[in-house]
């Protein structure tokens, strides 16, 4: 299966992507994770994207598309993949179609998780993340001991771009302006799957497997 997942910040994309990836045995590729990893490792690419990511702006399309093109040429994605956070605008969606067409493939599904604005703001403001492995937590769902990651022992912190309400609102604005129009595009292609993102992660996942 080849699928893209989108939805407003805080819709639970990361959590659900992980579950989908396990169930369907396909790698989950999250552009945000790729960028944060490059930034914390201090690579040259990380240096190019840092200011955008930390201020809640979109990374330029050419850099983003190039990293996805490279990732989709690797061996482990030849039997399917899930993209979390890409495409984020119509230009990137066209680029993705071209990359897949070159490989003789097309997308099977575009999953959108819907949550109301208040819910999404509340979720982001409570979100915490392991600074080493990227695992997500929430103030209502903390690690077992003292903000230390259950998986790797790293420090669990607030993401740089979640700290400031204005940056959070900026990202939500960009979502509505640039990413939401993808719904019409994928609906035209007959592959849009809309799922209600409120409820427990378990319930949301059940809705997702029902439509995929
Ligand atoms: P969120 O969905 O909460 O914004 P992500 O982890 O998906 O978090 O993305 C974090 C940041 O990475 C974005 O604010 C943006 O700067 C950058 N980013 C991620 N995906 C893309 C993309 N497809 N195009 C441009 N920038 C992106
Ligand atoms: Zn960790």
């Amino acid at each position: 299966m080849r699928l893209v997942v989108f939805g407003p910040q805080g819709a639970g994309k990361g959590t659900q992507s992980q579950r989908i990836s396990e169930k369907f045995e396909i790698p989950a590729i999250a552009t945000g994770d790729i960028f944060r990893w490059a930034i914390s490792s201090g690579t040259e690419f990380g240096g190019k994207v840092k200011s955008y990511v930390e201020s809640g702006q979109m990374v330029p399309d050419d850099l983003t598309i190039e990293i996805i093109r490279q990732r989709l040429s690797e061996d482990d994605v030849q039997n399917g993949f899930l993209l979390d956070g890409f495409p984020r605008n119509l230009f990137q969606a066209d680029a993705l179609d071209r990359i897949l067409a070159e490989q003789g493939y097309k997308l099977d599904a575009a999953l959108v998780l819907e949550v109301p604005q208040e819910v999404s703001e509340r979720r982001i403001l409570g979100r915490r993340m392991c600074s080493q492995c990227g695992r997500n937590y929430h103030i209502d769902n903390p690690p077992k001991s003292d903000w230390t990651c259950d998986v790797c022992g790293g420090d669990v912190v607030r993401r740089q771009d979640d700290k400031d309400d204005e940056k959070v609102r900026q990202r939500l604005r960009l979502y509505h302006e640039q990413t939401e129009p993808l719904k019409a595009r994928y609906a035209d292609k007959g592959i849009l799957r809309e799922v209600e993102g409120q409820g427990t992660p378990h319930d949301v996942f059940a809705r997702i497997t029902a439509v995929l």
Side-chain angles (χ1 to χ4, degrees):
M1 177 158 52
R2 292 179 176 76
L3 115 135
V4 300
V5 180
F6 60 105
Q9 284 73 15
K13 276 182 314 224
T15 306
Q16 297 300 331
S17 295
Q18 212 49 56
R19 291 183 178 224
I20 297 166
S21 153
E22 282 161 22
K23 181 174 166 91
F24 294 93
E25 300 182 342
I26 48 175
I29 303 166
T31 38
D33 288 345
I34 295 175
F35 294 147
R36 280 185 293 276
W37 181 246
I39 293 167
S40 67
S41 316
T43 65
E44 192 189 339
F45 180 75
K48 287 187 194 158
V49 302
K50 186 174 167 52
S51 62
Y52 301 103
V53 173
E54 292 186 348
S55 65
Q57 311 282 120
M58 293 265 196
V59 171
D61 286 332
D62 54 343
L63 292 175
T64 307
I65 291 165
E66 190 45 38
I67 209 80
I68 287 293
R69 178 186 294 283
Q70 282 173 25
R71 184 67 186 86
L72 292 182
S73 70
E74 287 170 26
D75 289 342
D76 66 321
V77 299
Q78 301 313 312
N79 293 318
F81 57 79
L82 175 162
L83 289 174
D84 165 359
F86 184 93
R88 232 176 244 238
N89 57 41
L90 291 164
F91 187 77
Q92 293 182 3
D94 287 338
L96 177 61
D97 284 350
R98 278 198 302 277
I99 293 169
L100 292 178
E102 282 163 18
Q103 302 180 341
Y105 300 129
K106 58 187 175 49
L107 281 180
D108 298 306
L111 176 71
V112 52
L113 287 176
E114 299 285 8
V115 292
Q117 177 106 3
E118 323 81 80
V119 174
S120 119
E121 281 182 18
R122 201 167 348 107
R123 285 186 179 173
I124 303 179
L125 294 171
R127 176 158 77 178
R128 300 292 182 273
M129 179 182 263
C130 174
S131 54
Q132 278 183 39
C133 74
R135 198 200 144 97
N136 277 311
Y137 296 92
H138 194 273
I139 45 174
D140 301 329
N141 173 30
K144 291 194 187 69
S145 81
D146 201 28
W147 300 105
T148 300
C149 178
D150 295 339
V151 180
C152 77
D155 286 339
V156 174
V157 297
R158 220 169 157 180
R159 241 167 69 175
Q160 199 64 32
D161 57 346
D162 286 351
K163 276 185 184 159
D164 163 348
D165 294 6
E166 189 37 50
K167 287 180 197 166
V168 169
R169 268 184 237 112
Q170 153 84 0
R171 274 148 62 219
L172 283 167
R173 230 176 0 251
L174 287 175
Y175 174 78
H176 292 299
E177 277 170 28
Q178 302 194 13
T179 312
E180 220 170 10
L182 295 177
K183 281 201 247 178
R185 181 183 199 278
Y186 289 125
D188 284 345
K189 292 183 185 278
I191 60 169
L192 186 71
R193 303 285 178 270
E194 289 177 277
V195 167
E196 168 59 56
Q198 289 197 81
T200 65
H202 177 89
D203 291 346
V204 176
F205 187 59
R207 284 177 215 137
I208 291 174
T209 50
V211 299
L212 283 184

